Amino acid sequence: MQHPMYPGLGDVQIARKRRELAPRQLEAFRAFSAAAFAEGELDARTKQLIAVAVAHVTQCPYCIRGHTDGALKAGATEGQIMEAIWVAAEMRAGGAYAHSALAIDQMAAHAEAAGGRTA
């Protein structure tokens, strides 16, 4: 029998084990999640679209499925979901590009330490 890379999120045994190992933390997380996704300055659809984008950046398969479903249930269109994913992709790529400043700075420091020689 093949073992799945990602076991079912709703697996009863896994849920029971989480509760047994850290019941207070689990309850606190559930309360935090409920508060974060409660209607406020942002509506439920917007919050779910943000969550879809973040789930793609963090690459959490459970979150991608759950928040895509949540966004659809909150009234988001498939086009809005895909746009949120593209925003996530741009931000992730933009972060890599922006952080090149660290590599360039380190290369300059290395060249200075080597007497101004560059590769």
Side-chain angles (χ1 to χ4, degrees):
M1 182 170 129
Q2 214 174 19
H3 188 76
M5 179 178 288
Y6 297 106
L9 187 58
D11 182 290
V12 175
Q13 290 175 324
I14 291 173
R16 185 178 305 121
K17 192 68 170 177
R18 282 188 183 123
R19 195 172 39 254
E20 288 172 7
L21 293 173
R24 288 187 336 238
Q25 292 87 341
L26 177 61
E27 191 53 41
F29 180 75
R30 285 181 177 164
F32 175 63
S33 183
F37 282 95
E39 291 270 345
E41 294 294 319
L42 297 173
D43 62 24
R45 182 182 60 87
T46 301
K47 287 184 177 189
Q48 287 296 334
L49 287 169
I50 292 168
V52 167
V54 172
H56 280 79
V57 171
T58 62
Q59 299 178 325
C60 172
Y62 300 108
C63 299
I64 290 170
R65 288 187 178 276
H67 291 292
T68 298
D69 190 52
L72 290 167
K73 287 178 180 175
T77 66
E78 290 180 356
Q80 290 171 330
I81 291 168
M82 196 64 229
E83 280 193 34
I85 294 166
W86 277 114
V87 170
E90 189 284 334
M91 293 299 295
R92 188 157 181 143
Y97 172 74
H99 279 83
S100 69
L102 297 169
I104 291 168
D105 185 61
Q106 193 61 35
M107 289 185 279
H110 183 77
E112 185 178 320
R117 297 188 307 270
T118 60

